Amino acid sequence: MKRPTIADIARRAGVSKGAVSYALNGQPGVSEATRQRIVAIAQEIGFNPNSAARALSGARARAVGLTLCRPARILSIEPFFMGLISGFEQELAARSYALTLQVVATPQNETEVYRRWWGERRVDGVFVTDLREHDIRIPVLNELQLPAVVIGGPGDTGNLTQLWSDDAGAITEAVRYLMALGHRRIARVGGLPDLLHTRVRTKAFTEVCASLGLNEAVTVPSDYTGEEGGRATRRLLIEAERPTAIIYDNDVMAVAGLSVAQEMGLSVPGDLSIVAWDDSPLCSLVHPPLTALSRDIAAYGAHAARQLLAAIAGEPVKDEEEGTAHLTPRGSTAPPRES
Amino acid sequence: MKRPTIADIARRAGVSKGAVSYALNGQPGVSEATRQRIVAIAQEIGFNPNSAARALSGARARAVGLTLCRPARILSIEPFFMGLISGFEQELAARSYALTLQVVATPQNETEVYRRWWGERRVDGVFVTDLREHDIRIPVLNELQLPAVVIGGPGDTGNLTQLWSDDAGAITEAVRYLMALGHRRIARVGGLPDLLHTRVRTKAFTEVCASLGLNEAVTVPSDYTGEEGGRATRRLLIEAERPTAIIYDNDVMAVAGLSVAQEMGLSVPGDLSIVAWDDSPLCSLVHPPLTALSRDIAAYGAHAARQLLAAIAGEPVKDEEEGTAHLTPRGSTAPPRES
DNA sequence: TCACGTCACTTATCCGGTTCAGTAAGTTCT
DNA sequence: AGAACTTACTGAACCGGATAAGTGACGTGA
């Protein structure tokens, strides 16, 4: 089956290719009557502009890229990325931009993918997640002048647009809440330590605990997997002075932590309160349901997509902070039992 | 920064554009010495062929598409798709094919996306998941002659390649196992009822139960969400003759079911045994860990990708069945307690 | 020695859009 | 009425590769 081209439309409308192009793109240069005739013909024969031809002459690929740098087994269970992708799509689909995905093994590989995408002109811009300190991807993107939105800072990203969420505010709220319940030994199982937003959280956690007079604010680093989260929990709970509350950097680790506590015969929330970060459906379907720091990840993604599209269009885009996650109290938090 | 083109290479090598094209594509027509010189220059200046130009003349976009037709909140938590995507990528990345993703609301929208992708020549082929009976996507793909691999049959897909897993064999194994443990009242919480693989499972479940003399083989339909899974579980457990074992069509519902059982004061596996379908890390991190029907979803995806790439290359591709999921016994199954 | 074939290229065309530089009408101003 | 604009187009170049057709140099066999 032959795909219709603007030449076919031009023939049927009795005009030149140029006129068709102007008409379909809303450019001046054709009369309203002609434009409508051309649009009607395009509609009728089911015309879609060949993206390659368009990209070749117009320099826009109408696609953006996302690289995912996590092992398959984490990607599959971590709800964050799919939530983000859903959010991206809300904006991209509306402007019929495609999303190109690539799973990679290392940040180094990510830079290679960026270079290839840029060279191939395959994407007009990229989303960068998991910002690290001295992130090697940043200089590459700046060198290539590939429009990008960096999610997960704030950090030093040259002239790349950034979007981050107020993690410090969120963790402060969680700690205050736990203290108000009466907890004095609060621990945290953190995410990958070299991610910038993990550092922001750790710093804020340490600071707020210190300012409130808790000097045993331990953060155990982890890697977002359930296994590691469970292991970290076990390590915390076998201490003589075990914490009465633990904050987890993601929902998967929180669920694993809950499971470990139950396995050790501790009651949640009686002996241990649990707060999860990022409130996926996962948090509501375990028993007891987990108190969580909720944020609308899809909205976060949609916001990032709007920024990226603006950056691609050459509009000025400024760094922004997405709203603070708010605490959703559920059954996993309560005042600590008198010991 | 200017992107290097074959014209730049041609100039530096002192040859024509055509020679460069032949050299880089391994075509005959240039001497080995010249080829090596050209390849070296391309390497040196970091040349990547413009994908648009290539697609325009060569008719290959070097990209394949995947549409996801599930609401965001399910997508984010359902590990299946990310596992599948990871598998796709293993094969696609190796041949530097890009994966284009689109989240859609309805199967109707999926057909529109296929038409657009085809018209835009944006993808060379697509993955189709969640096959239904009388699936409206199949005739569209056949009409467009867009290469596709259909995952989730078997069913009637015209001349589109299919890949499915032996769901009947897997559920038979699970039922046999539960019966061997002594269970006589086995129920199932199924996935979306109009998906073809759900029907295959339901039919096999009913048949194996009947053949083994269990005539109370109830399947409660659900939609893969935790909420629905929990609700279905509650409905099953309030019956006078409640089941002693439940098989769930995905891991998310199984976890929700476990939670409901615990909330109702039933011990797992003492009062209720639970089997999950698809063994994601989720199953191991709840307490007790869930017995699951395990299959390697990434391998499944990789297999599908190989088939799609072969179909795109015009090679003959035959329908295939991926291996049977095998039962991984964990703590959630045991002989039923004497009542 | 000359016709012929092969090799190693070059030249030109094509893919399907976008866009710039014309151009022939019609309109406006003086 | 004629110059100056505007409108509504047309024609052609261009984007960066792939590729068919053409070309000159060289080797080879009769």
Side-chain angles (χ1 to χ4, degrees), chain B:
Chain B
M1 194 171 157
K2 176 88 173 48
R3 272 162 256 243
T5 71
I6 53 167
D8 299 323
I9 300 177
R11 207 175 312 117
R12 292 187 44 158
V15 295
S16 69
K17 275 170 57 179
V20 174
S21 179
Y22 290 137
L24 295 178
N25 292 303
Q27 300 282 97
V30 281
S31 66
E32 198 45 42
T34 310
R35 183 189 307 278
Q36 285 179 11
R37 192 156 46 92
I38 289 172
V39 169
I41 293 174
Q43 192 94 39
E44 183 198 334
I45 64 176
F47 169 78
N48 285 100
N50 179 318
S51 62
R54 207 177 224 187
L56 190 56
S57 52
R60 283 284 155 76
R62 295 190 80 80
V64 296
L66 172 67
T67 51
L68 294 177
C69 180
R70 295 274 175 95
R73 92 209 135 81
I74 303 185
L75 269 185
S76 65
I77 196 186
E78 165 80 81
F80 179 76
F81 288 107
M82 265 298 182
L84 208 57
I85 289 172
S86 303
F88 292 159
E89 288 278 353
Q90 284 169 26
E91 296 294 322
L92 297 179
R95 308 220 224 160
S96 63
Y97 253 75
L99 178 66
T100 296
L101 206 74
Q102 177 111 35
V103 177
V104 296
T106 65
Q108 178 64 41
N109 286 345
E110 281 187 272
T111 66
E112 289 155 15
V113 170
Y114 294 152
R115 284 188 190 281
R116 186 161 54 76
W117 278 349
W118 175 84
E120 292 180 346
R121 258 195 164 83
R122 205 178 257 287
V123 300
D124 298 329
V126 297
F127 295 108
V128 179
T129 61
D130 289 344
L131 184 63
R132 292 149 198 268
E133 198 137 15
H134 307 300
D135 199 304
I136 58 168
R137 298 168 298 175
I138 303 303
V140 171
L141 290 169
N142 274 307
E143 172 201 336
L144 298 177
Q145 303 213 44
L146 187 58
V149 169
V150 181
I151 298 167
D156 179 20
T157 59
N159 37 29
L160 303 180
T161 310
Q162 290 191 68
L163 181 64
W164 64 86
S165 67
D166 174 22
D167 285 4
I171 203 162
T172 301
E173 185 181 353
V175 171
R176 288 229 170 98
Y177 167 72
L178 290 170
M179 280 207 64
L181 288 178
H183 293 273
R184 289 300 173 269
R185 289 195 305 281
I186 302 174
R188 171 165 161 266
V189 175
L192 289 164
D194 43 344
L195 300 188
L196 221 49
H197 69 263
T198 303
R199 299 195 176 196
V200 169
R201 292 177 182 188
T202 302
K203 183 157 170 288
F205 178 65
T206 310
E207 281 174 9
V208 65
C209 287
S211 80
L212 294 174
L214 308 180
N215 28 21
E216 306 174 68
V218 191
T219 288
V220 183
S222 178
D223 67 353
Y224 290 125
T225 62
E227 298 96 77
E228 267 299 306
R231 215 167 290 145
T233 306
R234 218 170 275 119
R235 218 175 311 147
L236 285 167
L237 295 182
I238 57 178
E239 294 288 320
E241 288 273 279
R242 59 173 173 74
T244 61
I246 305 181
I247 300 173
Y248 292 86
D249 261 21
N250 77 351
D251 38 14
V252 174
M253 294 193 298
V255 170
L258 169 65
S259 177
V260 164
Q262 290 173 339
E263 159 204 314
M264 290 174 74
L266 298 177
S267 103
V268 173
D271 301 311
L272 179 72
S273 283
I274 287 180
V275 176
W277 203 312
D278 277 355
D279 183 14
S280 76
L282 205 53
C283 296
S284 317
L285 59 82
V286 290
H287 186 75
L290 303 182
T291 295
L293 288 164
S294 316
R295 50 178 176 167
D296 187 341
I297 296 173
Y300 196 31
H303 190 166
R306 281 194 300 277
Q307 283 185 301
L308 184 54
L309 290 170
I312 290 169
E315 296 161 18
V317 187
K318 48 182 206 307
D319 295 352
E320 288 186 59
E321 181 180 278
E322 184 79 7
T324 309
H326 61 272
L327 194 81
T328 304
R330 296 207 184 87
S332 68
T333 44
R337 200 177 279 168
E338 304 298 318
S339 53

Side-chain angles (χ1 to χ4, degrees), chain A residues 73 222-234 252-253 256 260, chain B residues 281 284-285:
Chain A
R73 93 209 134 82
S222 179
D223 66 354
Y224 289 125
T225 63
E227 299 95 78
E228 268 299 307
R231 215 167 290 144
T233 306
R234 217 169 277 118
V252 174
M253 294 193 297
V260 164
Chain B
S284 317
L285 59 82

